[in-house]
Amino acid sequence: MTTSNVLQVSSLSKTFEKPQGKVHVLADLNFQVEPGEFITIIGPSGCGKSTLLKIIAGLDVHYQGSVTLGHAKIDKPGRRQGFIFQEHRLFPWLTVEKNIAADLSLKDPEVRAKVDALISTVRLQGFENAYPRELSGGMSQRVAIARALLRNPEILLLDEPFGALDAFTRNHLQNVLLDIWQQNKTTMILVTHDIDESIYLANRVLIMDAKPGRISRIVPVDLPYPRKRSSSGFQAIRQKVMQEFEQVEHMRRVER
């Protein structure tokens, strides 16, 4: 396998300076993500999941350790990394197609063709000229995903993108995201609090502990797609993840 866009996180630590002293947010994280993998990260609030994503995105460069994509250190935002926030952050004065194009001109035939293709990919045909106020939360997130994909990122980082949505819409968008991943082979890392979502989507689930944030377990999900949450294989992995969480919590109590 090519190493041109392998994500390598090595000895990553992060400290915030607070008036009351230093707060250790991340401590000695080490993991690798292969090209085309789908990784999910779960863990308790405050364990540094979002901070980790921002570092990989180049939005936070004040850390100790090394984060590389291919052979290049990540030290600033760039087109190689796409980022999807929990809030869609669309421009309210632009239509769907113009939000996807953003700073690129729809008069460019190549951009026009890519935007049209992405609108089809995220299942928004017929809403090209709609404004964000006319869209549901799920539709708005699909626009945000299409906008990130237009830049052809090597890795797409998603920070709880479906957290504020109802269960039906959330399940629908999980399937849309899987379709996009399988079509584009884009490496994806998604942060979530939802254990079922993490197993449904991922090749591997990274479980984080808090104070300071660290990777406690990595659980492989060796299930074929499409997956059924009711299947015995799915439930077996869910039970394993829950057991890992219980072990993490037990160790936290012992260490206190």
Side-chain angles (χ1 to χ4, degrees):
M1 172 153 327
T2 178
T3 60
S4 62
N5 56 352
V6 170
L7 175 71
Q8 183 72 53
V9 176
S10 303
S11 303
L12 173 62
S13 297
K14 169 70 180 179
T15 302
F16 285 122
E17 297 285 347
K18 300 286 186 179
Q20 62 271 30
K22 293 183 178 181
V23 178
H24 298 288
V25 182
L26 299 173
D28 195 30
L29 271 66
N30 295 277
F31 65 93
Q32 180 172 297
V33 182
E34 298 292 338
E37 264 198 295
F38 199 136
I39 301 296
T40 52
I41 302 175
I42 57 176
S45 297
C47 71
K49 300 185 298 295
S50 294
T51 299
L52 172 58
L53 277 199
K54 289 177 181 176
I55 288 173
I56 296 172
L59 298 172
D60 185 341
V61 297
H62 302 291
Y63 60 86
Q64 298 78 48
S66 173
V67 182
T68 59
L69 186 56
H71 302 292
K73 180 180 179 181
I74 296 176
D75 55 8
K76 61 182 178 181
R79 289 195 173 188
R80 299 184 76 192
Q81 311 101 257
F83 199 102
I84 306 294
F85 296 90
Q86 184 170 352
E87 309 83 19
H88 55 72
R89 302 194 179 187
L90 301 183
F91 301 114
W93 59 88
L94 296 181
T95 62
V96 164
E97 61 181 16
K98 290 182 179 179
N99 259 291
I100 294 172
D103 59 332
L104 303 177
S105 175
L106 286 169
K107 294 180 180 179
D108 182 327
E110 185 176 353
V111 172
R112 173 85 265 176
K114 288 182 178 179
V115 169
D116 289 345
L118 282 167
I119 286 174
S120 176
T121 297
V122 299
R123 307 177 190 176
L124 283 174
Q125 302 97 317
F127 292 91
E128 293 87 347
N129 295 309
Y131 288 88
R133 64 178 180 273
E134 301 172 308
L135 306 177
S136 67
M139 295 169 74
S140 296
Q141 278 295 46
R142 279 184 271 166
V143 176
I145 292 169
R147 180 169 60 190
L149 290 173
L150 182 64
R151 276 73 189 167
N152 295 317
E154 294 180 28
I155 185 168
L156 186 61
L157 307 161
L158 304 104
D159 191 6
E160 296 192 68
F162 312 141
L165 304 176
D166 63 86
F168 180 83
T169 303
R170 186 178 190 131
N171 288 347
H172 172 69
L173 286 191
Q174 289 168 3
N175 289 322
V176 170
L177 189 62
L178 281 176
D179 286 346
I180 293 169
W181 172 63
Q182 290 170 335
Q183 289 177 26
N184 294 274
K185 306 301 181 185
T186 303
T187 306
M188 294 193 182
I189 302 179
L190 181 143
V191 161
T192 179
H193 279 99
D194 188 324
I195 291 174
D196 283 6
E197 179 173 80
S198 70
I199 299 168
Y200 187 74
L201 295 172
N203 302 131
R204 290 186 292 155
V205 178
L206 275 60
I207 302 174
M208 289 186 65
D209 192 8
K211 298 181 180 179
R214 56 193 175 190
I215 295 174
S216 299
R217 305 285 190 279
I218 298 179
V219 179
V221 185
D222 187 19
L223 295 174
Y225 297 95
R227 293 171 177 170
K228 291 185 177 181
R229 293 173 173 84
S230 59
S231 71
S232 58
F234 190 100
Q235 291 302 316
I237 293 175
R238 187 181 193 279
Q239 184 175 1
K240 182 176 182 180
V241 171
M242 291 298 295
Q243 289 172 345
E244 298 290 0
F245 260 122
E246 290 171 1
Q247 289 181 21
V248 166
E249 187 58 32
H250 174 72
M251 291 303 298
R252 290 176 65 188
R253 289 195 296 268
V254 170
E255 290 172 0
R256 288 172 186 169

